[in-house]
């Protein structure tokens, strides 16, 4: 079931606080994260695997790179899945040591690879071309340099085609039928081969793709041992654990997943460590997005609730057609009246947050809450239509703190240059 929250005197409570008080103190739009939920989610998924075998959780930080949230996960003992030098530097800034960061790029430039090497973090190689580039950069230092490969497992999953990554012919990973050759080449170059990795996609809610991909990884781990005398330390089966976005949607049984996957690895291989890279699972339902109702319009064939959030603030509905549950936080659990489309201030007809939702008589000034906004919410936001990015707030046990201030027009203008000859 989707995580829901309590109401008190008709006001939604979050992290021990009234959402109306949070909105009054910080204004809207604002992303609000409950620290306790982030910690709980981390512990739940870590325990589900670590009670059976050595486990590393590599938080896929693309979901949410706020430094405060990274710091919380650092304290919990998480590792990191980083996809860019920017993410690597951000995680170092949040206190992760380089050995806890695994960089998995795609179409990585030589320059970026060099910078990543300089940070000392671990590298998961995505292609044969990247391997040769890395060998060039390292020269003699190839000997003993820890390495793993991302492979294309031929297993795809996810909430939509835009986020499926593991199918045959995907742009990610070493193609299935060349995996053994890639490992043989890495061995020849003297690398210290540590593991194998695949990621099937994001946000699916069945366990089958995880089982399928782990079968593929197990098969390669055993072939590497038998044919190339390569003994892997870890199998990393990527991220993709879904969370329920709809009230009645079932959640993925992580305890069952942990028991099943670890049993497969322990029974069928000599590999002693499992790694997984949840992004969404760790941060999604820890965060709500609070917005103000700015206008209510009867367009004849449709009723619209206009708000101060558009696809600049939360792009998932417009981009993926993703469902996000919405409610009026100041009329929480009130009897509902009619169906509305919830839309934003962006001048495109594709700008929407929710379609056909029954809401309790929305009025200008009401407080709209969007659920499950912690993963790929702020991190995919933009300044389109020259709207500066919004605030982020962290709550814990009834106290709220700002963890990102709103941007201003200065942020939008700062790096632009009007050539002298155009000025009068
Ligand atoms: N590992 C790799 C290699 C990935 O590419 C991703 C996500 C993850 C782990 C984490 O996946 P998660 O556990 O969060 O599902 N913007 C989209 C999701 C894109 C995910 C891209 N890769 C969305 O808003 O649904």
């Amino acid at each position: 079931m989707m995580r829901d929250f309590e109401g008190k005197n008709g006001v939604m409570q979050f992290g021990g606080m009234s959402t109306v008080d949070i909105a009054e103190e910080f204004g809207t739009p604002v992303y609000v994260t409950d620290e306790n939920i982030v910690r709980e989610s981390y512990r739940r998924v870590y325990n589900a695997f670590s009670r059976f075998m050595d486990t590393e959780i590599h938080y896929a930080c693309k979901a949410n790179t706020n430094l405060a949230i990274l710091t919380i996960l650092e304290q919990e003992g998480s590792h990191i899945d980083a996809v860019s030098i920017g993410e690597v530097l951000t995680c170092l800034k949040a206190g992760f040591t380089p050995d806890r960061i695994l960089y998995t790029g795609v179409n990585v430039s030589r320059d970026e690879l060099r910078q990543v090497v300089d940070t000392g973090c671990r590298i998961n190689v995505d292609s044969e071309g990247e391997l040769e580039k890395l060998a060039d950069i390292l020269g003699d230092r190839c000997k003993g340099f820890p390495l793993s490969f991302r492979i294309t497992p031929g297993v795809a999953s996810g909430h939509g085609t835009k986020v499926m990554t593991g199918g045959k012919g995907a742009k990610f990973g070493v193609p299935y039928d060349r995996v053994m050759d890639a490992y043989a080449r890495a061995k020849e170059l003297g690398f210290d081969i540590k593991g194998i990795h695949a990621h099937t996609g994001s946000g699916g809610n069945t366990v089958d793709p995880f089982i399928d991909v782990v079968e593929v990884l197990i098969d390669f781990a055993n072939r590497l041992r038998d044919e190339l005398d390569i003994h892997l330390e870890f199998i990393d089966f990527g991220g993709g654990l879904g969370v329920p976005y709809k009230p009645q949607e079932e959640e993925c049984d992580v305890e069952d997943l942990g028991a099943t996957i670890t049993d497969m690895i322990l029974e069928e291989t000599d590999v002693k460590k499992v790694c997984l890279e949840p992004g969404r699972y760790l941060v999604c339902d820890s965060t709500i997005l609070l917005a103000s109702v700015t206008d209510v319009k009867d367009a004849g064939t449709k009723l619209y609730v206009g708000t101060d959030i558009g696809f600049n603030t939360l792009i998932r509905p417009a981009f993926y057609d993703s469902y996000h549950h919405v409610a009026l936080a100041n009329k929480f659990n009130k009897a509902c009246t009619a169906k509305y489309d919830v839309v934003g201030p962006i001048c495109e007809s594709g700008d929407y947050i929710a379609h056909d939702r029954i809401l309790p008589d929305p009025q200008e000034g009401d407080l709209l809450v969007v659920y499950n906004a912690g993963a790929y919410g702020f991190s995919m936001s933009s300044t389109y239509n020259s709207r500066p990015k919004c605030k982020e707030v962290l709550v814990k046990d009834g106290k709220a703190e700002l963890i990102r201030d709103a941007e201003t027009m200065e942020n939008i203008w700062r790096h632009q240059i009007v050539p002298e000859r155009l000025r009068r």
Side-chain angles (χ1 to χ4, degrees):
M1 295 262 283
M2 183 191 80
R3 187 188 292 274
D4 206 347
F5 304 92
E6 265 178 31
K8 211 191 251 174
N9 304 324
V11 174
M12 176 180 171
Q13 307 294 301
F14 188 76
M17 294 187 74
S18 138
T19 49
V20 168
D21 288 350
I22 298 171
E24 270 170 11
E25 183 175 349
F26 298 98
T28 64
V30 59
Y31 279 93
V32 190
T33 298
D34 183 342
E35 177 173 337
N36 292 342
I37 300 179
V38 176
R39 292 187 187 275
E40 241 174 62
S41 301
Y42 178 86
R43 288 173 199 177
R44 182 161 174 210
V45 69
Y46 178 72
N47 291 337
F49 287 81
S50 66
R51 51 194 182 117
F52 300 109
M53 72 187 286
D54 194 7
T55 300
E56 276 178 17
I57 304 293
H58 295 194
Y59 168 52
C61 69
K62 60 174 84 64
N64 190 327
T65 41
N66 183 287
L67 288 167
I69 288 171
L70 290 171
T71 304
I72 292 165
L73 288 167
E74 194 282 325
Q75 290 176 358
E76 288 294 325
S78 186
H79 289 59
I80 289 290
D81 159 40
V83 295
S84 70
I85 180 69
E87 286 189 354
V88 170
L89 295 174
T90 300
C91 293
L92 290 170
K93 192 174 170 67
F96 287 89
T97 48
D99 56 307
R100 281 164 72 189
I101 303 173
L102 181 63
Y103 170 87
T104 307
V106 62
N107 300 317
V108 184
S109 72
R110 203 168 277 264
D111 185 43
E112 173 152 332
L113 200 52
R114 201 172 284 122
Q115 291 179 59
V116 173
V117 167
D118 288 346
T119 65
C121 77
R122 293 155 55 198
I123 297 180
N124 188 37
V125 173
D126 178 79
S127 71
E128 294 127 306
E130 186 182 330
L131 177 68
E132 297 302 328
K133 268 185 266 187
L134 183 61
D136 270 0
I137 291 166
L138 290 170
D140 291 346
R141 288 181 297 154
C142 278
K143 308 266 170 304
F145 190 91
L147 184 114
S148 54
F149 280 103
R150 175 177 190 166
I151 68 156
T152 321
V155 180
S157 69
H159 64 68
T161 49
K162 284 194 176 98
V163 299
M164 295 180 174
T165 52
K168 199 166 173 233
K171 79 164 177 173
F172 304 94
V174 177
Y176 187 89
D177 52 6
R178 294 208 302 274
V179 170
M180 296 301 287
D181 291 344
Y183 274 93
R185 174 69 180 144
K187 185 178 176 184
E188 181 184 55
L189 288 164
F191 282 100
D192 180 10
I193 296 164
K194 297 285 191 193
I196 188 162
H197 163 266
H199 172 70
T200 61
S202 186
N205 47 14
T206 59
V207 297
D208 302 355
F210 294 116
I211 292 173
D212 294 348
V213 76
V214 170
E215 260 166 19
V216 171
L217 295 169
I218 284 176
D219 186 46
F220 276 120
N222 290 338
R223 282 181 63 193
L224 289 166
R225 180 194 60 203
D226 300 342
E227 295 171 31
L228 295 174
D229 196 27
I230 292 173
H231 299 261
L232 300 183
E233 282 177 17
F234 70 84
I235 285 180
D236 180 341
F237 68 93
L241 274 177
V243 300
Y245 281 85
K246 292 186 178 164
Q248 303 305 328
E249 202 175 316
E250 280 198 27
E251 57 188 291
C252 177
D253 186 342
V254 284
E255 282 75 26
D256 180 46
L257 185 71
T260 309
I261 301 287
T262 54
D263 187 55
M264 287 169 72
I265 297 175
L266 291 172
E267 285 294 309
E268 296 169 43
T269 72
D270 306 325
V271 178
K272 296 284 181 277
K273 184 186 281 184
V274 63
C275 305
L276 60 156
E277 302 171 335
R280 191 186 313 272
Y281 186 84
L282 296 186
V283 290
C284 190
D285 66 1
S286 68
T287 304
I288 53 173
L289 170 59
L290 294 175
S292 297
V293 174
T294 49
D295 205 0
V296 180
K297 185 184 284 182
D298 181 348
T301 53
K302 220 176 217 343
L303 294 170
Y304 287 102
V305 176
T307 68
D308 56 0
I309 51 168
F311 73 67
N312 56 322
T313 322
L314 178 71
I315 201 174
R316 301 191 72 260
F319 194 51
Y320 304 113
D321 262 325
S322 298
Y323 180 100
H324 279 263
H325 190 68
V326 298
L328 293 184
N330 61 325
K331 296 177 178 170
F332 206 56
N333 298 330
K334 289 266 155 74
C336 289
T337 47
K339 260 189 192 168
Y340 300 83
D341 270 23
V342 179
V343 295
I346 297 296
C347 293
E348 295 197 25
S349 50
D351 182 38
Y352 85 98
I353 298 295
H355 283 314
D356 291 329
R357 302 299 169 79
I358 303 173
L359 293 169
D361 189 27
Q363 300 290 332
E364 183 191 352
D366 280 345
L367 185 64
L368 183 95
V369 53
V370 183
Y371 287 60
N372 288 308
Y376 310 105
F378 189 93
S379 69
M380 291 180 81
S381 69
S382 76
T383 57
Y384 186 46
N385 279 201
S386 294
R387 295 191 178 276
K389 291 190 185 185
C390 70
K391 289 181 186 176
E392 293 180 286
V393 162
L394 186 68
V395 298
K396 183 172 162 56
D397 304 330
K399 287 212 184 71
E401 288 160 296
L402 194 63
I403 55 171
R404 182 194 301 266
D405 207 351
E407 291 186 356
T408 64
M409 288 310 293
E410 276 309 313
N411 296 94
I412 290 179
W413 297 326
R414 183 175 294 155
H415 302 290
Q416 303 188 48
I417 298 155
V418 179
E420 193 57 47
R421 66 188 173 75
L422 296 177
R423 296 188 200 155
R424 292 200 199 170

